[in-house]
């Protein structure tokens, strides 16, 4: 588990008794779908839908698209909640324990490994969707802060935001497909068909980003927190984040002064903020340089407004593309 996202996690004595009383064997939280023994025969023979528990919105959406009608898919982290600092309740732990399949991104859910170990279930398939991807490291400042917090621990701070790159999102969908097939091989053909259909949409989204950002006037954009490094790398852009990988991180006065200086020198006219955290830092920079603000959505959860507009992952990403095109052509 990476130090930046490690959180304190304490289970109540009553919950511990409930979980230990079930007598299930502990499974490894880092186990991916190919390594986990499924409860496939019972699910397939009975015709019962899979019980799939996911962590936050992108994992829910990707899983729902692949599962189709063969699973009941739920998300632990509610809409509007910021996933970086969320932790599960006893009720959430019960859902984790009872899941046929548990899907999480990895890194951002600092509680997941201990939750899976505590709420053990030897028949559960665990999918860490970002497992095996080439993950990017955080900034030097984040490394220093993480090491200062735990002086003996020198793990690198890794960036979890792979779902914001349409190419890496395809890899996550493939990992989820493999997990569902492992848990329910009788419906393999449907899972593969659904995954292929959704991946085709992600490929189209990738093409839209490539085309839309190919000839923009500028390549750098300022964001409230460092969620868009994978997207920027994929399309030849440069993200200039005010805060670090976690939106709760506050920039130092020197860092804020440096961002303002960069914005003035490069005639930046838009400062991006996001929907689930206070935009005051972005607004401070925008006020200082006389620019406007706009939304660049890291898709860590849908807001009520997003849902009212019937937006989903693809719709929000298309909005992100339009916002970037506008800002980078000013």
């Amino acid at each position: 588990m990476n130090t930046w996202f490690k959180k304190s996690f304490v289970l109540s004595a009553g919950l511990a008794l409930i979980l230990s009383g079930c007598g299930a064997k502990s499974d490894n939280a880092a186990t991916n779908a190919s390594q986990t023994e499924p409860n496939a025969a019972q699910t397939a023979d009975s015709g019962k839908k899979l019980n799939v528990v996911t962590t936050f919105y992108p994992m829910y959406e990707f899983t729902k698209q692949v599962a189709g009608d063969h699973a009941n898919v739920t998300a632990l982290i509610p809409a509007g909640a910021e996933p970086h600092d969320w932790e599960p309740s006893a009720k959430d732990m019960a859902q984790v324990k009872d899941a046929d399949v548990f899907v999480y991104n990895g890194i951002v859910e600092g509680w997941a490994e201990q939750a899976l170990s505590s709420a053990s279930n030897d028949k559960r398939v665990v999918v860490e969707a970002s497992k095996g991807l080439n993950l990017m490291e955080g900034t030097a400042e984040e490394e220093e802060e993480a090491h200062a917090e735990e002086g003996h621990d020198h793990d690198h701070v890794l960036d979890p935001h792979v779902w914001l790159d349409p190419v890496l999102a395809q890899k996550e969908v493939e990992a989820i497909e493999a997990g569902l097939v492992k848990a329910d091989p009788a419906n393999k053909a449907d899972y593969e068909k659904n995954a292929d259909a959704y991946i085709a949409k992600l490929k189209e989204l990738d093409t839209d980003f490539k085309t839309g950002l190919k000839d923009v006037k500028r390549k750098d954009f300022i964001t409230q927190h460092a969620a868009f490094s994978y997207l920027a790398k994929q399309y030849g852009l440069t993200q200039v984040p005010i805060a670090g990988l976690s939106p709760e991180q506050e920039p130092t006065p020197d860092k804020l002064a440096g961002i303002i200086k960069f914005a003035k020198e490069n005639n930046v006219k838009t400062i991006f903020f996001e929907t689930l955290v206070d935009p005051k830092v972005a607004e401070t920079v925008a006020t200082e340089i006389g620019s406007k603000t706009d939304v660049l959505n890291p898709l860590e959860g849908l807001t009520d407004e997003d849902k009212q507009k019937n937006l989903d992952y693809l719709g929000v990403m298309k909005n992100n593309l339009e916002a970037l095109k506008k800002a980078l052509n000013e």
Side-chain angles (χ1 to χ4, degrees), residues 223-276:
T223 60
Q224 181 156 316
H225 100 275
F228 296 90
S229 295
Y230 293 100
L231 184 146
K233 180 180 179 182
Q234 187 69 244
Y235 302 110
L237 305 178
T238 300
Q239 175 189 228
V240 182
I242 299 172
L245 294 175
S246 174
E248 65 192 23
Q249 181 189 14
E250 292 285 341
T252 64
D254 286 346
K255 178 65 179 293
L256 195 58
I259 293 289
I260 291 171
K261 180 181 179 183
F262 175 89
K264 288 179 177 179
E265 290 178 349
N266 291 276
N267 196 27
V268 175
K269 297 180 180 179
T270 299
I271 306 297
F272 286 113
F273 69 96
E274 57 194 75
T275 52
L276 297 182

Side-chain angles (χ1 to χ4, degrees), residues 51-286:
N51 174 27
V52 183
V53 176
T54 66
T55 51
F56 66 116
Y57 176 71
M59 299 302 100
Y60 168 79
E61 178 66 12
F62 295 167
T63 303
K64 188 177 68 168
Q65 292 293 332
V66 178
D69 295 330
H70 296 301
N72 293 316
V73 182
T74 59
L76 287 177
I77 302 175
E82 215 298 317
H84 289 270
D85 54 8
W86 183 91
E87 290 185 3
S89 66
K91 181 179 178 181
D92 298 320
M93 289 291 292
Q95 290 190 67
V96 173
K97 179 173 179 58
D98 292 340
D100 297 315
V101 182
F102 180 80
V103 180
Y104 70 120
N105 180 78
I107 307 173
V108 69
E109 308 98 330
W111 49 268
E113 292 185 13
Q114 189 168 351
L116 288 164
S117 178
S118 300
S120 59
N121 176 348
D122 61 347
K123 295 182 178 180
R124 175 181 54 210
V125 173
V126 176
V127 180
E128 184 181 0
S130 68
K131 188 177 179 69
L133 298 181
N134 185 18
L135 300 179
M136 301 174 68
E137 295 184 4
T139 65
E141 292 88 347
E142 287 161 339
E143 297 277 358
E144 291 173 4
E145 182 171 339
H147 295 165
E149 290 176 355
E150 301 192 24
H152 63 283
D153 191 338
H154 296 286
D155 289 346
H156 290 295
V157 178
L158 297 178
D159 186 344
H161 301 91
V162 293
W163 64 87
L164 290 168
D165 175 347
V167 176
L168 295 181
Q170 295 171 44
K171 299 297 184 182
E172 294 205 299
V173 170
E174 290 172 354
I176 292 167
E177 174 198 345
L180 294 176
V181 169
K182 189 73 175 179
D184 183 18
N187 290 305
K188 176 181 178 180
D190 284 348
Y191 295 136
E192 290 178 345
K193 178 181 178 182
N194 293 343
D196 288 345
Y198 195 63
I199 286 172
K201 293 179 180 179
L202 292 173
K203 288 181 176 179
E204 183 178 345
L205 181 66
D206 172 44
T207 299
D208 290 342
F209 268 85
K210 286 178 180 175
T211 303
L213 299 174
K214 181 181 179 181
D215 297 318
V216 290
K217 294 179 181 179
R218 61 184 308 127
K219 297 293 185 179
D220 47 69
F221 60 100
I222 297 178
T223 60
Q224 181 156 316
H225 100 275
F228 296 90
S229 295
Y230 293 100
L231 184 146
K233 180 180 179 182
Q234 187 69 244
Y235 302 110
L237 305 178
T238 300
Q239 175 189 228
V240 182
I242 299 172
L245 294 175
S246 174
E248 65 192 23
Q249 181 189 14
E250 292 285 341
T252 64
D254 286 346
K255 178 65 179 293
L256 195 58
I259 293 289
I260 291 171
K261 180 181 179 183
F262 175 89
K264 288 179 177 179
E265 290 178 349
N266 291 276
N267 196 27
V268 175
K269 297 180 180 179
T270 299
I271 306 297
F272 286 113
F273 69 96
E274 57 194 75
T275 52
L276 297 182
V277 297
D278 192 331
K280 64 181 180 181
V281 176
E283 290 172 348
T284 296
V285 174

